Amino acid sequence: MEQLMRSLFLSMAQNRAANRWAKRYGLRLGAQRFVAGETIDDAIRVVRTLNQQGMTVTLDHLGEFVNDESEANEAADYCVRTLEAIHASGVDASLSLKMTQTGLDISRELCMSNMRRILDVAKKYGLLVTIDMEDFSHCQITLDILDELRKDYDNVGTVIQAYLYRSLEDVQRLGAEGVHLRIVKGAYKEPPEVAFPDKADVDANYIKLMEAQLLSKGFTAIATHDEKMIEHAKSFIAKHNIPKEKYEFQMLYGIRTNLQQQLVREGYPMRVYVPYGNDWYGYFMRRLAERPANVGFVLKGMFN
Ligand SMILES: Cc1cc2nc3c(=O)[nH]c(=O)nc-3n(C[C@H](O)[C@H](O)[C@H](O)COP(=O)(O)OP(=O)(O)OC[C@H]3O[C@@H](n4cnc5c(N)ncnc54)[C@H](O)[C@@H]3O)c2cc1C
């Protein structure tokens, strides 16, 4: 049943008509629980509150389905504006983005030029940009573009997904090169030819990737809400004396907030991934897919 619900929500995330509807009608259906608001001012307000609670943030201006060059340029403009707002407000935040937003599906050249435009501004302000990892069909090209960008920028990192068979090799290569990596379980619907179908195998691989990256030259963002993964990370960090400059925990805005605060109280570095913008529908559907119990929030949202 849970698997069925997961597939249903992941298919709904791809629905363009529903996405258009959601943009027109604003944050609804309980999405406010996971999305900081529609404007940059809303987002900065949330970042400030989280900073006051001892957490850093990575801001993501939401966007799905970029169809042409002007939409890709506009999405890149939003990333630049987000970086400028972070700098101007003095909050402690970095930026996350998806390369399909900056034109990856239109042309590699367009995506590259938008990425350079964003990274130039981030570099000027000393801010990190993390390239989110999307579905498997974008994985190799994302890593290829990252390699090219790293020749000119040291303020860019990416995400590795534990559900993919290929990921241990990717972590071993990128970690040896000192790349900043966020380790996640993976949020898309992938076939068994490329990804572990069983959760137990994904969890076991998550531990392998996290340990490999923590022992590498690169920074490790341990991005999970899973207490088993977090407890394992804590013991591994203690056993190997991994300094705080080499890692942080990351969780999504609105998910396991108590656990986020507990990690801060225990003295661990904690960063919250805060999405904002009017294109919230796909992101929201992926969060529902992870935990169909969240549908309760949708029902509440519909009746409020
Ligand atoms: C900071 C951050 C960035 C991410 N970036 C990417 C990315 O670039 N690409 C990508 O594919 N995926 C990304 N993800 C999503 C990730 O791949 C997983 O889908 C997501 O984190 C759920 O897996 P989990 O590790 O929390 O473990 P799970 O085993 O799925 O969950 C463990 C526990 O966490 C809680 N939980 C998990 N999800 C939810 C939810 N939606 N609502 C309420 N409770 C929940 C539940 O209590 C659950 O039992 C990111 C996740 C984080 C935290």
Side-chain angles (χ1 to χ4, degrees):
M1 182 63 180
E2 181 137 346
Q3 204 50 35
L4 200 72
M5 294 284 276
R6 183 174 147 77
S7 294
L8 176 71
F9 284 119
L10 288 177
S11 313
M12 283 165 74
Q14 300 292 331
N15 188 313
R16 287 175 186 242
N19 180 274
R20 277 195 300 275
W21 172 87
K23 268 190 195 172
R24 253 203 321 268
Y25 288 97
L27 275 175
R28 293 279 169 90
L29 307 176
Q32 303 90 318
R33 182 181 169 222
F34 302 108
V35 178
E38 295 199 88
T39 68
I40 182 73
D41 289 342
D42 295 333
I44 295 291
R45 218 172 298 126
V46 168
V47 179
R48 238 190 220 109
T49 307
L50 291 166
N51 283 172
Q52 281 158 4
Q53 295 170 4
M55 303 179 217
T56 54
V57 166
T58 185
L59 268 181
D60 167 32
H61 182 259
L62 292 168
E64 314 261 334
F65 308 125
V66 164
N67 299 305
D68 57 36
E69 190 169 334
S70 70
E71 283 179 8
N73 292 339
E74 200 186 319
D77 290 345
Y78 265 110
C79 291
V80 167
R81 261 180 256 154
T82 306
L83 289 165
E84 279 167 351
I86 292 172
H87 176 72
S89 61
V91 294
D92 192 343
S94 60
L95 180 78
S96 287
L97 58 78
K98 291 184 175 46
M99 286 205 301
T100 51
Q101 272 182 279
T102 60
L104 184 59
D105 287 341
I106 300 163
S107 80
R108 184 175 169 141
E109 293 64 37
L110 173 66
C111 178
M112 259 327 227
S113 86
N114 274 329
M115 286 302 298
R116 287 185 183 281
R117 190 152 68 85
I118 295 164
L119 284 167
D120 282 335
V121 177
K123 195 171 176 176
K124 183 168 84 182
Y125 297 141
L127 298 172
L128 176 82
V129 175
T130 303
I131 302 169
D132 286 351
M133 190 57 79
E134 302 182 61
D135 64 335
F136 183 73
S137 69
H138 293 102
C139 180
Q140 187 59 51
I141 180 98
T142 299
L143 296 181
D144 290 347
I145 291 181
L146 174 76
D147 285 343
E148 205 169 324
L149 290 170
R150 284 183 42 248
K151 291 179 192 154
D152 298 314
Y153 303 93
D154 59 5
N155 58 330
V156 58
T158 194
V159 179
I160 298 290
Q161 299 155 321
Y163 61 20
L164 295 184
Y165 302 133
R166 60 172 286 165
S167 289
L168 186 57
E169 263 176 55
D170 289 331
V171 167
Q172 282 164 343
R173 177 178 74 83
L174 294 166
E177 293 172 19
V179 180
H180 186 119
L181 293 181
R182 175 196 299 153
I183 311 291
V184 302
K185 289 194 188 175
Y188 296 82
K189 192 169 183 303
E190 301 294 358
E193 290 73 36
V194 300
F196 294 104
D198 291 337
K199 185 168 163 34
D201 293 324
V202 178
D203 290 357
N205 203 38
Y206 190 96
I207 302 259
K208 273 193 210 156
L209 303 184
M210 176 175 72
E211 292 186 352
Q213 180 66 7
L214 281 168
L215 294 178
S216 80
K217 287 201 291 186
F219 185 92
T220 313
I222 306 159
T224 179
H225 314 93
D226 186 337
E227 283 180 76
K228 284 197 298 297
M229 303 297 122
I230 292 169
E231 285 310 312
H232 188 96
K234 285 181 185 171
S235 332
F236 192 81
I237 286 163
K239 184 169 162 206
H240 294 271
N241 268 321
I242 314 269
K244 280 188 186 154
E245 301 70 49
K246 286 273 289 112
Y247 74 91
E248 67 191 9
F249 288 99
Q250 290 191 355
M251 290 187 216
L252 301 177
Y253 178 65
I255 299 182
R256 307 293 317 259
T257 309
N258 290 343
L259 188 54
Q260 297 175 11
Q261 289 164 350
Q262 184 191 319
L263 286 169
V264 173
R265 280 197 300 277
E266 290 170 354
Y268 291 103
M270 175 76 229
R271 187 177 297 272
V272 184
Y273 184 108
V274 175
Y276 82 96
N278 69 355
D279 208 350
W280 49 270
Y281 172 80
Y283 178 87
F284 182 45
M285 288 300 129
R286 287 193 290 279
R287 301 295 78 80
L288 293 182
E290 281 156 5
R291 195 156 184 258
N294 284 337
V295 172
F297 290 100
V298 173
L299 295 175
K300 248 198 240 159
M302 285 169 85
F303 292 110
N304 281 339

